[in-house]
Amino acid sequence: MAIHPGAGKAATQSDLVNVPKLVSAYYLNEPDLEQNPEQCVAFGTSGHRGCSYDVKFNESHILAVTQAICDYRKQNNIFGPLFLGKDTHALSEAAYNSAIEVLVANEVQVITQENDDYTPTPVISHAVVCHNKTHPHELADGIVVTPSHNPPEDGGFKYNPPNGGPADTDVTKWIEDRANKLLLEDLVEVELFPFAKASRSGFIKYQDLMTPYIADLVNVVDVAKIAQAKVKVGIDPLGGSGINFWPIIAEKFNLDLTVVNESVDPRFAFMPLDKDGKIRMDCSSPYAMTNLIALKDKFDIGIGNDPDYDRHGIVTPDGLMNPNHFLAVAIDYLLNHRNWSSDVQIGKTLVSSAMIDRVVERNNRQVKEVPVGFKWFVEGLNEGSLAFGGEESAGASFLRFDGSVWNTDKDGFIMGLLGAEILAVTGKTPSALYKELEQEFGAPLYKRIDAPATAQQKQRLKALSAQDVTADTLAGEPILQKLTHAPGNNAAIGGLKVVTENGWFAARPSGTEDIYKIYLESFKGEEHLALLEKEAKKLVDSVIS
């Protein structure tokens, strides 16, 4: 895809969303599933997302989804509190209020941040996990109102069941089906309690969720070492829900930490445009992170996060780190600086870098390779059998020092602070340590591309078996693995991964566009990567056409 001429440059007035118009559309536009089935509730890997202009994220959607969650709770005997959080997107406030009306009407005890403040995804997960440790017979769950790093006009709604992590497909499918049935029946079974009275109902508890989370950080990150080394940290919250956490973290642990952008604006007018010319708070994008990258020489390390703080971006004097590079460094460091059990595994998604496999093998541990989606790491993190779970899209979490669960969702706070800990303890930036890994294992080149595909071709790709791939070689090397199920848990990957000694590719159909995505990595240089790309396209096209 061609880079937009405005990428990395300041947004102009014409790039900004009209917030009053957007919020009005949330209340005025009504989905009609019979005439427009595309307006239904649809849970992706991170909940239901959409825009109110497109009639895909409107009041009716949120009332139906919240009632469906209440029904799911009753059916599964979940009677503890529900922790409710929201981020800084314009539609998050409206959807949060809609959810409260339904939750209170269903007599769900809601716990939300005091002063009606924002609450990051990892903080909700941490609260659920900690509550359920001490209240096993009164299980809590959570909702986070966020579309993550999506543009300002989008809304999002995520459900975290009592395991504290992203809901599994069977849960989201149940909620999705129930919500769409409620929509088709004009919401007649949705229970509502007026928002104006909800705060006096006794079912909403405004609680300080910030202090317990921050105080507990000493059990997962060595903040004392960061303070002792006087690591100079620059923070760009990208206008997200964690903005009020950083000053308290700095004060409590005596950290040299500077928030370089204190703006909170539902238009995200302070954001540089992303590669496609849209405003997108993607902390793994060098275009979206332009402002923090410009300050790289003023700090030892920089940290950026997306609006709900489940992603991290690490900036060093060398620039913004590739997410795969930081994951490899983080895993190598943790395996050498934590006294975890020798049999814990490291979780990675099948489209993450093979550098991780080499690092884990050198540390005499095992990789658990799973399909795309953080939900696949939740059980292992909860049990303590998985020390680390990470995605190539810059989301990860890991265990406490004692090997017990910290939380079960992606955590941008601890990953950012871990970058500072790595520098404090080793005296080297994470980017410098990655260069050392390259000297040891080679320098892989990683790429993601999109290729056109019809609906029928996408379905064929999703339904492939390993026997459908008849090729024996790829880019001049013997094929070692043909995978349609992840080796870590035998779950279907919804596509294909082909592995050789020095390269691999994975192909997955898009859930929203007429394309399939190809992920590629080569340890043999540009020429090999180009050949890998050419043959991967040819191979996939041959089996889906």
Side-chain angles (χ1 to χ4, degrees):
M1 185 182 75
I3 302 299
H4 190 275
K9 298 177 182 176
T12 64
Q13 189 65 33
S14 62
D15 297 313
L16 305 181
V17 66
N18 182 327
V19 172
K21 185 177 179 181
L22 182 74
V23 175
S24 295
Y26 173 83
Y27 291 104
L28 296 176
N29 289 347
E30 284 289 340
D32 183 345
L33 271 56
E34 291 181 345
Q35 296 296 319
N36 303 289
E38 73 277 3
Q39 295 175 354
C40 68
V41 169
F43 272 76
T45 53
S46 295
H48 174 73
R49 295 184 188 179
C51 179
S52 60
Y53 292 148
D54 303 329
V55 201
K56 292 186 177 180
F57 194 91
N58 302 83
E59 183 182 32
S60 293
H61 291 109
I62 303 309
L63 297 178
V65 172
T66 310
Q67 183 62 54
I69 289 171
C70 292
D71 295 343
Y72 176 83
R73 296 179 100 245
K74 291 170 188 173
Q75 181 169 302
N76 291 275
N77 299 313
I78 303 169
F79 298 120
L82 181 142
F83 290 89
L84 179 63
K86 63 185 175 186
D87 78 354
T88 52
H89 278 77
L91 290 177
S92 295
E93 190 72 34
Y96 169 90
N97 294 339
S98 298
I100 281 180
E101 292 187 320
V102 178
L103 292 167
V104 170
N106 283 270
E107 299 187 345
V108 174
Q109 179 65 63
V110 177
I111 297 178
T112 191
Q113 177 62 30
E114 65 181 7
N115 302 320
D116 204 26
D117 204 352
Y118 310 110
T119 318
T121 288
V123 176
I124 292 294
S125 178
H126 178 268
V128 171
V129 167
C130 290
H131 178 277
N132 292 342
K133 273 184 183 177
T134 54
H135 300 80
H137 303 297
E138 191 184 80
L139 294 178
D141 52 2
I143 290 172
V144 190
V145 189
T146 173
S148 189
H149 63 292
N150 276 29
E153 62 268 24
D154 282 3
F157 205 81
K158 301 193 297 188
Y159 176 61
N160 286 32
N163 59 28
D168 204 348
T169 312
D170 57 342
V171 178
T172 56
K173 184 70 167 63
W174 193 97
I175 293 170
E176 181 182 296
D177 289 346
R178 175 60 177 152
N180 286 324
K181 185 173 185 291
L182 291 167
L183 285 171
L184 284 167
E185 295 173 353
D186 297 324
L187 305 179
V188 291
E189 292 187 35
V190 173
E191 298 182 47
L192 280 173
F193 192 87
F195 182 84
K197 298 180 181 179
S199 60
R200 303 192 299 272
S201 67
F203 285 103
I204 299 183
K205 184 177 181 182
Y206 293 94
Q207 187 171 307
D208 178 9
L209 302 176
M210 189 184 298
T211 299
Y213 175 88
I214 292 174
D216 209 9
L217 285 170
V218 295
N219 294 307
V220 70
V221 178
D222 198 338
V223 285
K225 288 277 175 55
I226 301 172
Q228 290 164 14
K230 295 181 171 56
V231 178
K232 194 173 180 62
V233 184
I235 305 288
D236 190 343
L238 301 184
S241 57
I243 191 164
N244 295 327
F245 281 67
W246 288 115
I248 299 173
I249 290 171
E251 182 179 2
K252 181 171 182 62
F253 301 118
N254 193 30
L255 303 183
D256 186 356
L257 189 157
T258 304
V259 176
V260 302
N261 174 21
E262 297 181 339
S263 299
V264 176
D265 175 4
R267 303 170 304 161
F268 292 88
F270 50 82
M271 285 294 299
L273 300 181
D274 204 0
K275 61 185 177 183
D276 57 358
K278 293 184 178 181
I279 296 176
R280 187 181 288 107
M281 290 62 69
D282 182 357
C283 50
S284 66
S285 165
Y287 304 101
M289 289 279 280
T290 294
N291 293 339
L292 186 58
I293 294 170
L295 302 173
K296 64 185 177 64
D297 296 323
K298 293 188 176 182
F299 300 100
D300 299 320
I301 198 161
I303 303 169
N305 299 98
D306 65 334
D308 74 315
Y309 268 65
D310 67 350
R311 298 190 184 203
H312 59 275
I314 303 298
V315 176
T316 74
D318 294 319
L320 176 67
M321 287 192 72
N322 178 298
N324 272 307
H325 297 182
F326 184 63
L327 288 183
V329 169
I331 290 165
D332 194 37
Y333 173 83
L334 287 168
L335 290 178
N336 285 281
H337 293 85
R338 297 293 189 269
N339 292 317
W340 291 330
S341 167
S342 60
D343 56 3
V344 293
Q345 294 180 305
I346 298 298
K348 61 165 278 199
T349 54
L350 60 89
V351 296
S352 298
S353 174
M355 178 68 88
I356 293 170
D357 301 76
R358 288 157 169 76
V359 165
V360 174
E361 184 180 4
R362 195 247 283 130
N363 282 285
N364 299 313
R365 305 296 176 104
Q366 285 190 328
V367 166
K368 183 172 185 176
E369 186 170 345
V370 300
V372 173
F374 201 83
K375 63 187 178 183
W376 301 108
F377 302 133
V378 172
E379 183 180 353
L381 288 169
N382 246 327
E383 294 173 347
S385 62
L386 205 62
F388 183 99
E391 295 187 303
E392 85 296 338
S393 55
S397 189
F398 51 92
L399 298 179
R400 296 168 181 263
F401 285 107
D402 66 3
S404 65
V405 59
W406 164 253
N407 62 14
T408 52
D409 213 325
K410 296 174 285 190
D411 194 326
F413 285 112
I414 66 169
M415 289 301 292
L417 289 169
L418 179 65
E421 180 192 329
I422 290 170
L423 176 56
V425 172
T426 68
K428 300 175 183 178
T429 65
S431 56
L433 290 171
Y434 185 75
K435 290 174 183 175
E436 293 182 5
L437 292 180
E438 287 186 324
Q439 291 172 0
E440 183 178 357
F441 297 112
L445 299 174
Y446 185 96
K447 187 176 184 181
R448 200 202 98 177
I449 58 173
D450 298 335
T454 65
Q456 292 82 3
Q457 289 173 329
K458 290 198 299 177
Q459 190 57 40
R460 288 192 198 110
L461 178 55
K462 195 172 182 180
L464 277 182
S465 70
Q467 289 71 36
D468 293 324
V469 182
T470 57
D472 297 319
T473 63
L474 176 69
E477 294 189 317
I479 291 175
L480 302 178
Q481 291 179 299
K482 303 171 185 177
L483 302 172
T484 55
H485 288 71
N489 59 1
N490 202 37
I493 64 179
L496 171 70
K497 182 175 182 179
V498 177
V499 183
T500 69
E501 183 180 356
N502 293 294
W504 61 268
F505 83 84
R508 299 173 57 244
S510 169
T512 56
E513 301 174 82
D514 290 331
I515 60 170
Y516 66 86
K517 303 172 184 179
I518 300 182
Y519 304 79
L520 309 126
E521 187 173 45
S522 168
F523 276 78
K524 293 179 69 175
E526 292 280 1
E527 190 174 329
H528 183 252
L529 184 69
L531 185 58
L532 195 62
E533 178 181 338
K534 179 182 176 181
E535 292 193 16
K537 283 182 182 176
K538 184 178 178 181
L539 191 154
V540 173
D541 288 341
S542 71
V543 296
I544 68 174
S545 298

